[in-house]
Amino acid sequence: MLLSKLKIHLKTIIGTPSIDFVWSDEHNEKFFSYLNDHLESMTIQDKEIQLTIKQSLREHFESVGYILFKMSQTQLRMKIFPYKIEPKDSINLQAIIDIIDENGDFVQYDYNGKEDLICLQNELTHQLTHFIYKITNEEINKKELLKYAVRKAFELKPSDIVITKNNQIFIKYCDIAPREIPDSEKETIANRYNGLDEDKLKSFYKNFFLRDENKNFFYDIAVEFVDVYILEKKIDNFTYEKYVFSFIQSIIMEHLENTFDGNKEFFRGFSGYVFRIHFKEVLGHIANLILAEVSASNKHVIEFLKYYSLNIVVMDGKKYKVPEIEADNGLKWSVSSMMSIVKIYIRTEQSIAALLGKKEALQDGIKDLYIYDLSPMEYNNNLHKEIEKISQELVNATQKVNLYSDLLDISKTTEDKESIKIDLKNIKQEMQLKRDEKTQLTAKMIGKNELLRYNNTKKEIDAIIRQEKREERILEQNKESFLSIKNSLVKALTSKKVLLEEFEAQR
């Protein structure tokens, strides 16, 4: 999750990657401020965090070059170096194509019964990616090299699409081309998806988009829109009303092009298709993110929302009716009336999220104390039972020894004495084995320090669960009002001001 957030933040403060980009003190200040706000209990010097930061920077600039950077607790220094070799000129290109040619058994044509679909199965994909990321003899965009090699090996057209999903590479022969739209139809439904056939878009959506790895796709779209346009560029309401949908669709298209390879015309149409299907989801996320900024008393966002309480605005001498944040029951929300509810609800949500994160970390830690799926207490109790059983067996054996010793004293024949001595020896040997077993079991007992650690962790988890339930009750108490605000805001965010006379004529 942090990687995704960092990539969006880098895009917000840097914009489109360029080989000439220079990391300034202003970038440094914004980046570290963001890190300090979002790392919570972890620190910038943690190895895992360092790797995530490096990956976010590498992926942001991957399309233009590779980076070298050095980072301390408060400062980052970075240099971008251009790739020296184009994929078509790579000395490794033929070797990659040879790997594909030599592993034809792992190439599945007519995948899932579809004549236009090829699958390079896990085994082959693993070989290819392993080879690609071991390349050290040239400075090249390795991701683009792999795509180019696949295109060359299968003699693909520019319109065909290469997809990497679930450790497999798919090739979609794409005969989908936008049809010519007459001028008379350009503002009609015929041009809704860049002139592409909706059934083919639907097929692509089902086969390649509805996957677990895309579950945060539209949340990330919303985060990028809010971060870039609302928080960084601080667009006004008039710009928002005019361009919001084109802004969002362009973000979707860019994300799709980064996920898939090939056929920009197709993804221009497909971005419109998925936006229409997930329209309410995207705007719901945007409304949530805006309300989160309200709860944090963000002045620009508060001013942005005050627009919806203006009722009438005048532009170029004309009066316009402004959308209102109005619930289905007619209740109208203003910034002041929604503020307390939003603050309580969002902060409670954030508190629950923090509690869940802490609980998960503690639960992961307590699992390390389990032995054979048993808690230390259960494990020790089981050992106690076994030790008690052996102790009782030793008591019984001792009684037997005493009995046989008495018999030995009163026996008269040599034969009886020898027989009793053998029995005594066997009993004593068995007793020694039991004592050894008891010693071994005792040595396996979990020590007091580990038991104390387990009990303290369990108490902490139980306290978090109780706190979580209290927070959930607060959330439930404010849920109806918050959803009323959120749903009303979504309606306002999807509406535009209208000329007052037109509004009054519609009433």
Side-chain angles (χ1 to χ4, degrees):
M1 195 65 173
L2 177 61
L3 176 62
S4 177
K5 288 180 177 179
L6 282 177
K7 286 165 67 176
I8 290 172
H9 184 66
L10 285 171
K11 187 172 182 181
T12 302
I13 64 174
I14 294 172
T16 304
S18 164
I19 199 66
D20 300 319
F21 171 77
V22 176
W23 183 267
S24 67
D25 290 339
E26 183 181 355
H27 293 114
N28 202 67
E29 184 180 342
K30 288 181 178 180
F31 188 65
F32 277 87
S33 174
Y34 184 86
L35 286 175
N36 290 326
D37 289 342
H38 289 81
L39 289 185
E40 298 173 354
S41 61
M42 303 183 78
T43 69
I44 295 169
Q45 293 303 313
D46 286 343
K47 188 175 181 181
E48 184 181 342
I49 295 298
Q50 289 265 337
L51 290 173
T52 303
I53 292 170
K54 182 177 182 179
Q55 186 179 351
S56 68
L57 290 164
R58 180 179 60 78
E59 290 187 13
H60 183 80
F61 290 101
E62 190 173 28
S63 61
V64 296
Y66 64 95
I67 64 164
L68 293 177
F69 83 98
K70 185 177 181 180
M71 191 170 74
S72 67
Q73 192 73 26
T74 58
Q75 195 173 62
L76 184 146
R77 288 290 175 260
M78 178 178 62
K79 177 70 176 173
I80 310 162
F81 296 90
Y83 299 119
K84 294 181 179 178
I85 304 294
E86 290 290 323
K88 64 183 178 63
D89 300 320
S90 171
I91 58 176
N92 295 289
L93 178 59
Q94 190 56 50
I96 301 168
I97 294 172
D98 289 343
I99 292 173
I100 296 171
D101 291 340
E102 292 163 6
N103 288 274
D105 291 343
F106 297 120
V107 178
Q108 188 174 349
Y109 294 87
D110 300 339
Y111 183 73
N112 280 348
K114 298 182 184 298
E115 294 181 357
D116 60 351
L117 196 59
I118 299 173
C119 173
L120 278 60
Q121 296 174 338
N122 299 56
E123 295 85 351
L124 176 53
T125 303
H126 177 74
Q127 284 190 54
L128 291 169
T129 52
H130 181 74
F131 180 89
I132 282 285
Y133 288 103
K134 289 288 184 181
I135 291 175
T136 57
N137 57 359
E138 59 184 357
E139 293 167 358
I140 192 168
N141 187 328
K142 295 176 181 180
K143 184 192 253 184
E144 292 303 316
L145 174 59
L146 178 56
K147 292 177 183 177
Y148 185 81
V150 170
R151 289 186 167 279
K152 290 291 288 185
F154 289 92
E155 300 179 353
L156 302 182
K157 298 180 296 184
S159 60
D160 297 325
I161 300 169
V162 178
I163 307 153
T164 303
K165 293 283 180 182
N166 297 334
N167 299 316
Q168 295 175 312
I169 295 174
F170 295 91
I171 296 166
K172 167 78 172 173
Y173 288 122
C174 195
D175 60 351
I176 305 172
R179 67 182 181 86
E180 289 293 326
I181 304 293
D183 290 341
S184 60
E185 295 183 18
K186 284 190 175 177
E187 300 301 323
T188 69
I189 197 169
N191 196 30
R192 173 184 281 173
Y193 307 128
N194 199 30
L196 300 176
D197 181 76
E198 186 171 348
D199 288 337
K200 291 185 177 180
L201 293 171
K202 184 177 182 181
S203 173
F204 187 88
Y205 175 81
K206 286 184 175 179
N207 285 313
F208 296 107
F209 194 79
L210 285 176
R211 294 173 180 269
D212 287 342
E213 61 264 36
N214 290 324
K215 63 184 178 182
N216 293 321
F217 184 89
F218 293 103
Y219 174 77
D220 291 341
I221 298 298
V223 169
E224 183 168 335
F225 172 78
V226 172
D227 279 3
V228 173
Y229 293 101
I230 303 293
L231 302 182
E232 183 68 18
K233 295 187 176 181
K234 293 181 169 58
I235 60 172
D236 58 28
N237 298 87
F238 304 125
T239 304
Y240 173 88
E241 286 185 359
K242 189 173 183 180
Y243 297 110
V244 56
F245 299 138
S246 60
F247 285 157
I248 293 172
Q249 187 167 339
S250 67
I251 295 172
I252 292 173
M253 183 176 172
E254 186 176 349
H255 279 244
L256 289 171
E257 288 179 346
N258 290 336
T259 304
F260 305 101
D261 176 59
N263 206 333
K264 287 190 176 183
E265 291 299 320
F266 170 76
F267 287 114
R268 185 171 286 110
F270 188 67
S271 63
Y273 177 79
V274 294
F275 185 29
R276 181 177 69 86
I277 294 174
H278 295 273
F279 179 81
K280 288 185 178 179
E281 180 182 349
V282 176
L283 268 295
H285 288 316
I286 289 172
N288 261 337
L289 292 164
I290 286 175
L291 292 175
E293 293 299 324
V294 170
S295 75
S297 301
N298 184 303
K299 291 181 180 179
H300 171 69
V301 174
I302 289 171
E303 288 302 315
F304 183 87
L305 291 187
K306 283 182 178 179
Y307 167 80
Y308 297 103
S309 299
L310 294 178
N311 191 25
I312 305 294
V313 294
V314 179
M315 287 185 65
D316 299 326
K318 295 180 180 179
K319 291 184 178 181
Y320 290 86
K321 178 71 176 72
V322 173
E324 295 177 306
I325 305 175
E326 183 178 2
D328 291 337
N329 61 5
L331 176 64
K332 294 178 182 179
W333 294 98
S334 64
V335 173
S336 57
S337 65
M338 68 171 71
M339 183 68 81
S340 60
I341 294 168
V342 167
K343 282 193 172 187
I344 291 171
Y345 194 89
I346 295 292
R347 288 177 183 176
T348 304
E349 265 192 335
Q350 291 170 345
S351 174
I352 290 173
L355 288 170
L356 288 173
K358 189 175 181 182
K359 182 175 73 173
E360 186 177 336
L362 288 169
Q363 287 172 335
D364 287 342
I366 209 170
K367 282 177 185 176
D368 295 337
L369 301 174
Y370 274 60
I371 304 101
Y372 307 120
D373 293 329
L374 295 172
S375 73
M377 308 296 290
E378 293 168 330
Y379 180 75
N380 271 7
N381 286 338
N382 287 350
L383 287 180
H384 272 301
K385 289 177 183 177
E386 291 185 51
I387 290 169
E388 285 296 318
K389 182 181 176 184
I390 291 171
S391 296
Q392 187 58 51
E393 289 173 348
L394 285 170
V395 169
N396 295 337
T398 301
Q399 291 173 349
K400 262 189 176 183
V401 167
N402 293 335
L403 176 61
Y404 275 73
S405 296
D406 291 341
L407 287 174
L408 183 62
D409 289 339
I410 62 174
S411 61
K412 296 180 178 179
T413 67
T414 303
E415 186 178 343
D416 286 343
K417 286 181 181 292
E418 289 301 319
S419 176
I420 292 170
K421 285 180 181 178
I422 291 170
D423 289 340
L424 272 170
K425 182 180 179 181
N426 290 337
I427 293 169
K428 289 178 179 179
Q429 285 177 343
E430 183 65 28
M431 287 178 72
Q432 188 56 49
L433 290 172
K434 291 292 181 183
R435 290 190 192 98
D436 292 343
E437 186 179 354
K438 182 178 179 180
T439 301
Q440 290 170 3
L441 289 174
T442 302
K444 290 180 179 179
M445 295 283 286
I446 302 299
K448 288 182 179 179
N449 288 340
E450 289 296 289
L451 288 174
L452 184 62
R453 181 183 163 200
Y454 171 80
N455 285 328
N456 288 341
T457 304
K458 192 171 185 306
K459 285 177 184 177
E460 201 170 348
I461 291 172
D462 291 340
I464 287 173
I465 290 172
R466 289 192 296 272
Q467 177 65 22
E468 190 183 331
K469 287 179 179 178
R470 288 194 291 270
E471 299 285 5
E472 284 173 348
R473 284 196 293 272
I474 295 171
L475 207 63
E476 190 60 35
Q477 290 164 3
N478 291 276
K479 185 175 181 179
E480 186 177 346
S481 295
F482 179 80
L483 289 179
S484 173
I485 292 169
K486 176 187 169 182
N487 294 335
S488 303
L489 179 57
V490 169
K491 284 195 295 183
L493 291 173
T494 55
S495 304
K496 295 182 179 181
K497 64 185 178 301
V498 294
L499 281 168
L500 185 59
E501 57 261 33
E502 291 180 8
F503 173 77
E504 291 176 341
Q506 293 170 5
R507 295 179 66 180

